[in-house]
Amino acid sequence: MLIVTPIFRIADYQQAVAFYIDWLGFRIDWEDRPANGPLYMQVSRGSIVLHLAAHEAERDSCGSMAIAEVNGLFALHRNLLQRNPPCPPPHLERTTWSDKVMQTQVTDPFGNRLVFVEACA
């Protein structure tokens, strides 16, 4: 099995935790904080795995996007709306590339986008 892990640049640890852990329901799998080095961490929610990197020199490179296929998109969307979104509330909509796929997109405080998608009937 091939696994691809997106790396999202972050500028603030507390904002990242509030967004990914407290709101989206990810968990912190591990953190690497080398002496005088940038934070690098892995967060996950089920089979969705992201790396978050706070590299000072690359803060201007924020703005990545990842698409995650999920089961239970409607329940996930409803749950996110009930948890007081820290950003504009995500919309549930059909994708532009297929009328049989629904999506909801969230954008973190650093401009990175995570799109959750699910095939529907």
Side-chain angles (χ1 to χ4, degrees):
M1 176 198 306
L2 175 65
I3 298 174
V4 176
T5 305
I7 301 172
F8 284 177
R9 303 291 180 212
I10 61 170
D12 181 87
Y13 178 81
Q14 294 302 328
Q15 284 183 317
V17 167
F19 186 83
Y20 288 100
I21 309 308
D22 300 340
W23 185 57
L24 286 180
F26 279 70
R27 68 171 192 201
I28 297 172
D29 296 326
W30 51 261
E31 295 180 359
D32 182 22
R33 293 176 180 257
N36 298 323
L39 166 73
Y40 194 85
M41 64 192 291
Q42 177 175 299
V43 298
S44 64
R45 179 185 169 127
S47 62
I48 302 169
V49 177
L50 302 172
H51 285 188
L52 306 178
H55 293 273
E56 293 286 331
E58 299 177 9
R59 287 207 175 159
D60 291 336
S61 68
C62 293
S64 297
M65 183 176 104
I67 296 176
E69 294 182 31
V70 297
N71 293 318
L73 179 65
F74 292 94
L76 170 64
H77 180 256
R78 189 172 45 255
N79 181 270
L80 293 177
L81 293 178
Q82 293 171 350
R83 299 181 90 189
N84 193 21
C87 56
H91 300 286
L92 191 61
E93 59 194 4
R94 294 200 184 278
T95 63
T96 57
W97 44 272
S98 174
D99 62 353
K100 295 181 179 164
V101 178
M102 296 293 293
Q103 72 178 15
T104 191
Q105 176 176 286
V106 297
T107 303
D108 75 9
F110 319 106
N112 299 301
R113 294 178 295 153
L114 184 55
V115 183
F116 297 99
V117 299
E118 182 177 38
C120 57

